Amino acid sequence: WWFARNVRRNLHVVFCLNPGGSGGLADRATASPALFNRCVVDWFGTWSTNALTNVAKALVKTVDFGAIGAAEWADGLSADLAARLREEPESDDSDDDEEVIVTTDPTLESAVVAALVETHELRRAASRATCRDFVELARCFAAEATARREALEATQKRKAAGLRELARARGEVAAMQGELAAQNKALEAQEASARDQLEKMVADQQAAEAKQARGKQLSAELALKGGDIASRKKAAEEELAQAEPALLSARKAVQGIKKTQLDELRSLRNPPIQAKRTLEAVAVILGALPVQRDYSWDDVRKAARQSDFIKRVVEFNPRDMGEAAAKAVRDRYLSPSAAYLDRLNAKERETKGEDAPEIVALDFEAANRSSAAAGPLVLWAGSQLDYVEIERKVEPLQKEVEALEAATKTTRDEVATLEREMAELEKSVKGYKEAYATAVRAAEKIKNDMASGKVKADRAARLLASLADEQGRWAAEADAYP
């Protein structure tokens, strides 16, 4: 109870209501009766012209009107507003609504205050505008006028800064043009020094170039003759280096053939066709069988039954293979043509019937399936042929290179003599070249500096020329600004 009593005694709530609108205060009183039977109502009616004038003056006091006269504004205003500019109510602090009229000189501030008052009165007559609307109108005008004044001052500051920058730029352009003139003189001196060094160097340089041209011609002849052979020799040697590991690997595989595997194959009366053809190819390479149209199994088995058969295979030197044997093994066993295989298969079917297995080119998989001893032997035969073909390709190239080197010995001697003479000439002109290079570098540096400076100076001059009219306008506006 004590708390509620103190709250009722000390708590004060103020409601500010605007009675404007279609219903006015009557509708609000009907909707909220407590506003009248529980509250104290202070009614503020319409402000007098004197009050409106004083309020407007107070609210626009922050606006910087200056000392600009308002006489020229009167032509566009109403008669009542023009009269108010010359008979302004005197400001006082009393609550009396009586207006005291004094005659004053019209100013922009008085014109604005009078315009605000008349605008409010016109709106109040048309739409029941309230005093709060008048205060808001005056505040909005003051804020907008201040903002526009500040924007105008900022614009004038930028123009003044722009004028200062243009003046500074003109000075810089003049300085750059003077520097360009000095650099041009220095460039002329450096170019004269470079020409002098060049003239001293020309005679010896021409002789050196003539000998160098002759040396290049002779070297080109040597390169033309030996380049193709050297490239082919290199390619063949690379192929030989790639074939040699395969040859060694095949030899190792042959060494892994067990005697029982070979004996088992040799003991067969009718061996698999791929195993028989493998032994034929190996025997032809070793020279154990002559090169002929075909071979019987007995001939092949006889060649393979020799006690040192595997040893001969492992120790065989590809260089000992005859060209006829190599061609026969390549064309008949390892890379036979389709027509040759068709003839072999037709003959095989005539002998053994239509169920005879098909004869194909020898490869490791097919031979290894027919006999564990045949697979490594196929690898060995292929590596032998590859190696010997590459080696025979390299041999004539080596002989040709040797003959070429012997034939071009005189040319090489002449090239060596020319190189010695060229070295002496180059030594004699070295000093001239260094002096010339120094002069040229100095001249180039000056040229680069001049080009860069000229670009900057021209750009600045064009910019200043394009801004000449703008500069005049800025200067006129700056002078006219209060």
Side-chain angles (χ1 to χ4, degrees):
W1 178 83
W2 177 86
F3 178 76
R5 185 185 62 184
N6 280 277
V7 168
R8 283 196 301 269
R9 178 182 302 170
N10 298 311
L11 178 63
H12 300 279
V13 179
V14 178
F15 294 96
C16 296
L17 301 179
N18 184 2
S22 60
L25 188 61
D27 291 344
R28 300 186 183 184
T30 302
S32 302
L35 290 175
F36 296 93
N37 57 26
R38 294 293 183 181
C39 299
V40 176
V41 177
D42 286 339
W43 178 268
F44 294 91
T46 302
W47 288 354
S48 66
T49 302
N50 187 25
L52 292 174
T53 301
N54 291 332
V55 169
K57 284 184 176 182
L59 291 176
V60 301
K61 187 177 295 183
T62 57
V63 179
D64 185 11
F65 289 102
I68 301 176
E72 64 273 20
W73 295 67
D75 296 338
L77 301 177
S78 65
D80 293 341
L81 184 57
R84 287 181 184 178
L85 290 176
R86 292 164 176 80
E87 294 183 357
E88 181 181 10
E90 184 180 11
S91 174
D92 58 29
D93 297 329
S94 67
D95 294 333
D96 190 2
D97 289 339
E98 182 180 356
E99 296 181 356
V100 180
I101 306 300
V102 296
T103 302
T104 61
D105 293 331
T107 63
L108 179 58
E109 180 180 5
S110 62
V112 169
V113 170
L116 291 174
V117 171
E118 181 164 337
T119 300
H120 173 69
E121 290 177 349
L122 292 174
R123 288 186 60 199
R124 183 174 61 187
S127 61
R128 300 176 64 183
T130 64
C131 300
R132 186 178 66 178
D133 296 330
F134 175 74
V135 171
E136 186 65 22
L137 173 65
R139 285 175 176 171
C140 288
F141 172 82
E144 182 67 18
T146 301
R148 294 195 180 192
R149 178 75 179 186
E150 291 175 352
L152 180 61
E153 290 177 351
T155 301
Q156 293 300 323
K157 288 180 180 179
R158 288 194 297 271
K159 290 178 180 179
L163 291 172
R164 290 193 298 270
E165 287 297 321
L166 287 174
R168 184 181 61 81
R170 290 186 184 279
E172 291 181 354
V173 169
M176 286 190 289
Q177 290 174 345
E179 184 178 353
L180 286 175
Q183 288 179 338
N184 189 46
K185 292 181 179 179
L187 176 61
E188 291 176 355
Q190 289 295 336
E191 288 179 344
S193 175
R195 286 193 299 269
D196 183 60
Q197 296 296 330
L198 182 61
E199 291 172 358
K200 294 178 181 178
M201 184 181 65
V202 165
D204 289 345
Q205 185 67 33
Q206 288 178 345
E209 289 176 353
K211 293 183 181 295
Q212 185 179 16
R214 177 58 181 165
K216 287 182 178 180
Q217 180 182 358
L218 295 175
S219 298
E221 293 176 1
L222 288 174
L224 184 63
K225 293 177 181 178
D228 183 54
I229 295 175
S231 63
R232 284 188 291 162
K233 177 182 176 183
K234 181 180 178 182
E237 288 177 346
E238 290 177 353
E239 293 179 8
L240 194 62
Q242 294 176 359
E244 188 172 0
L247 180 66
L248 297 177
S249 177
R251 286 178 180 174
K252 186 175 181 181
V254 171
Q255 288 175 338
I257 298 175
K258 297 179 181 179
K259 185 175 182 301
T260 56
Q261 295 172 338
L262 190 59
D263 290 342
E264 179 183 358
L265 177 59
R266 289 183 294 203
S267 65
L268 295 175
R269 294 179 58 84
N270 188 18
I273 187 63
Q274 293 297 86
K276 174 180 177 295
R277 284 170 51 78
T278 299
L279 289 180
E280 287 179 10
V282 173
V284 170
I285 291 174
L286 294 176
L289 287 176
V291 178
Q292 59 188 35
R293 187 177 183 82
D294 53 20
Y295 307 92
S296 65
W297 174 236
D298 290 337
D299 294 336
V300 177
R301 185 164 48 181
K302 181 180 178 181
R305 277 181 176 173
Q306 297 176 7
S307 59
D308 61 345
F309 180 76
I310 295 298
K311 181 179 179 183
R312 289 179 61 191
V313 171
V314 173
E315 296 179 355
F316 182 75
N317 190 337
R319 297 184 181 88
D320 296 335
M321 187 189 311
E323 293 184 6
K327 187 176 185 305
V329 173
R330 178 72 70 187
D331 295 343
R332 296 181 186 180
Y333 300 98
L334 297 180
S335 301
S337 65
Y340 179 77
L341 290 176
D342 290 341
R343 291 196 300 271
L344 282 184
N345 283 307
K347 183 178 180 181
E348 191 73 8
R349 285 191 293 271
E350 290 176 2
T351 305
K352 298 182 179 180
E354 293 298 327
D355 295 336
E358 184 180 3
I359 300 175
V360 296
L362 292 179
D363 61 14
F364 174 78
E365 297 294 337
N368 204 49
R369 284 196 300 268
S370 64
S371 171
L377 290 174
V378 169
L379 294 178
W380 176 85
S383 65
Q384 294 290 326
L385 285 180
D386 291 341
Y387 190 85
V388 75
E389 286 182 2
I390 296 172
E391 191 173 60
R392 286 173 181 172
K393 186 192 301 183
V394 172
E395 184 177 0
L397 288 175
Q398 290 176 337
K399 292 181 180 179
E400 190 174 353
V401 170
E402 292 174 359
L404 180 63
E405 289 177 350
T408 55
K409 184 177 182 303
T410 304
T411 304
R412 287 196 182 92
D413 293 341
E414 185 177 354
V415 170
T417 302
L418 288 173
E419 287 176 352
R420 288 193 297 271
E421 293 176 355
M422 287 169 57
E424 294 175 358
L425 289 172
E426 288 177 357
K427 184 178 180 180
S428 67
V429 299
K430 184 178 180 180
Y432 294 133
K433 285 185 177 180
E434 291 178 353
Y436 177 73
T438 301
V440 168
R441 284 194 298 270
E444 287 299 323
K445 184 179 183 304
I446 294 175
K447 285 181 180 179
N448 292 335
D449 294 343
M450 287 181 62
S452 176
K454 189 174 186 304
V455 169
K456 294 179 180 179
D458 291 345
R459 186 187 301 119
R462 288 194 299 270
L463 179 61
L464 291 175
S466 64
L467 292 176
D469 295 339
E470 194 72 11
Q471 182 181 7
R473 185 174 64 83
W474 290 355
E477 291 178 355
D479 293 338
Y481 185 72

